[in-house]
């Protein structure tokens, strides 16, 4: 029998809102494992591209899921984080490539695909303190999370941050992001939405450190002195 997550901080929001950067730093400060649930959808998208499976073919996508597994990566520089393995081997940075960005929200739109990935996303947080980032963490993956945060920023600021990360033309990045936002917020299963009990933080005028300072205060108020 599993013990369930000890303490989960759920951070949801659209891409470029700063979830991963803030989540990683918060995880380091509070001694938690970082689980970025987006990498599971990205990994399945890469595998589907390799196997020439359409992002719209729900049944065949689900059949690919058993080839994926989750592990915890330990490095000297940062806190432990969840990674996805394909047939036992880690994916490379190609999961963040623009052609994956262009397909991933279609892959993530299917109810059966989302259901098939849930256990993999939850496993790295089992029995640990975890910071879990994504689109539906506070609503679906960990609805019982002790702290729920919804990070947001204007489309201009989010596109600027993403362009800095991936390079390339700002207009193309904005278009790709707007398309992804619309699919993620418009789907019927687990759409991107702020959980009713989430605290919203607009990060336009905040540095990552300032965001994490606020998150740490919220965490301490909720957890360390409830
Ligand atoms: O967070 P990231 O941009 O890497 O996520 C990639 C895509 O994976 C999102 O645009 C979304 O379609 C999907 N996703 C999701 N639910 C999550 C995390 C990611 O649907 N919890």
């Amino acid at each position: 029998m599993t013990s369930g997550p000890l303490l989960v901080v759920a951070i949801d929001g659209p891409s470029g809102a700063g979830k991963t950067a803030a989540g990683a730093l918060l995880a380091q400060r509070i001694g938690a494992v970082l689980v970025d649930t987006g990498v599971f959808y990205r990994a399945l998208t890469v595998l589907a591209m390799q196997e020439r499976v359409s992002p719209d073919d729900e049944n065949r996508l689900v059949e690919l899921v058993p080839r994926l597994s989750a592990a915890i990566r330990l490095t000297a520089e940062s806190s432990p984080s969840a990674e996805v393995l394909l047939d036992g081997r880690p994916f490379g940075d190609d999961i963040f490539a623009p052609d994956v960005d262009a397909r991933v929200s279609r892959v993530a739109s299917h109810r059966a695909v989302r259901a098939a990935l849930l256990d993999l996303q939850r496993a790295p947080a089992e029995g640990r303190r975890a910071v879990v980032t994504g689109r539906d963490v506070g609503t679906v993956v960990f609805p019982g999370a002790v702290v729920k945060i919804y990070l947001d920023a204007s489309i201009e600021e989010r596109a600027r941050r993403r362009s800095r990360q991936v390079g390339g033309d700002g207009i193309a990045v904005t278009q790709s992001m707007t398309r992804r936002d619309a699919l993620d917020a418009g789907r019927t299963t687990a759409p991107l939405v702020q959980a009713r009990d989430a605290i919203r933080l607009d990060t336009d005028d905040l540095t990552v450190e300032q965001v994490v300072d606020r998150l740490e205060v919220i965490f301490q108020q909720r957890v360390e002195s409830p």
Side-chain angles (χ1 to χ4, degrees), residues 82-226:
E83 68 179 346
V84 195
L85 309 179
L86 169 61
D87 301 330
R89 282 188 297 276
F91 281 85
D93 277 349
D94 48 343
I95 63 171
F96 298 105
D99 55 351
V100 177
D101 279 5
R103 291 173 176 81
V104 63
S105 292
R106 275 159 71 198
V107 169
S109 68
H110 305 293
R111 178 187 296 271
V113 167
R114 303 192 70 84
L117 287 175
L118 265 184
D119 281 350
L120 280 180
Q121 294 173 326
R122 287 175 177 152
E126 271 306 315
R128 292 184 183 86
R129 187 177 273 205
V131 174
V132 188
T133 63
R135 303 290 187 290
D136 62 342
V137 179
T139 50
V140 176
V141 186
F142 286 112
V146 67
V147 177
K148 296 184 188 178
I149 305 292
Y150 188 87
L151 286 190
D152 208 350
S154 64
I155 179 73
E156 293 80 14
E157 178 58 23
R158 294 192 289 116
R160 250 194 307 277
R161 291 175 187 168
R162 184 88 181 124
S163 297
R164 269 202 302 269
Q165 266 173 2
V166 296
D169 147 21
I171 296 174
V173 170
T174 308
Q175 283 172 345
S176 159
M177 197 173 246
T178 308
R179 245 193 329 265
R180 215 141 57 87
D181 284 355
L183 286 171
D184 291 343
R187 67 182 172 228
T188 44
T189 310
L192 167 65
V193 64
Q194 180 178 342
R196 264 185 316 164
D197 47 352
I199 297 169
R200 183 190 184 90
L201 210 55
D202 283 297
T203 67
D204 269 274
D205 301 320
L206 300 175
T207 64
V208 176
E209 280 74 18
Q210 288 171 326
V211 172
V212 177
D213 287 346
R214 294 189 190 190
L215 299 185
E216 202 180 351
V217 169
I218 295 167
F219 178 80
Q220 277 160 359
Q221 283 168 347
R222 288 282 168 88
V223 173
E224 292 178 354
S225 50

Side-chain angles (χ1 to χ4, degrees), residues 2-155:
T2 53
S3 55
L6 282 182
L7 285 174
V8 166
V9 178
I11 307 181
D12 289 302
S15 55
K19 302 183 300 289
T20 312
L25 193 52
L26 179 67
Q28 216 164 22
R29 288 201 198 168
I30 67 172
V33 62
L34 176 69
V35 184
D36 172 0
T37 56
V39 298
F40 294 85
Y41 293 101
R42 289 178 174 277
L44 183 59
T45 304
V46 170
L47 178 56
M49 287 162 67
Q50 282 173 12
E51 298 294 331
R52 301 187 183 284
V53 170
S54 160
D56 302 318
D57 190 338
E58 183 167 13
N59 292 338
R60 292 204 56 209
L61 288 168
V62 169
E63 283 167 14
L64 294 175
V65 171
R67 290 181 58 192
L68 303 178
S69 55
I72 295 190
R73 182 176 50 212
L74 298 167
T75 64
E77 314 82 59
S78 53
S79 60
S81 61
E83 68 179 346
V84 195
L85 309 179
L86 169 61
D87 301 330
R89 282 188 297 276
F91 281 85
D93 277 349
D94 48 343
I95 63 171
F96 298 105
D99 55 351
V100 177
D101 279 5
R103 291 173 176 81
V104 63
S105 292
R106 275 159 71 198
V107 169
S109 68
H110 305 293
R111 178 187 296 271
V113 167
R114 303 192 70 84
L117 287 175
L118 265 184
D119 281 350
L120 280 180
Q121 294 173 326
R122 287 175 177 152
E126 271 306 315
R128 292 184 183 86
R129 187 177 273 205
V131 174
V132 188
T133 63
R135 303 290 187 290
D136 62 342
V137 179
T139 50
V140 176
V141 186
F142 286 112
V146 67
V147 177
K148 296 184 188 178
I149 305 292
Y150 188 87
L151 286 190
D152 208 350
S154 64
I155 179 73

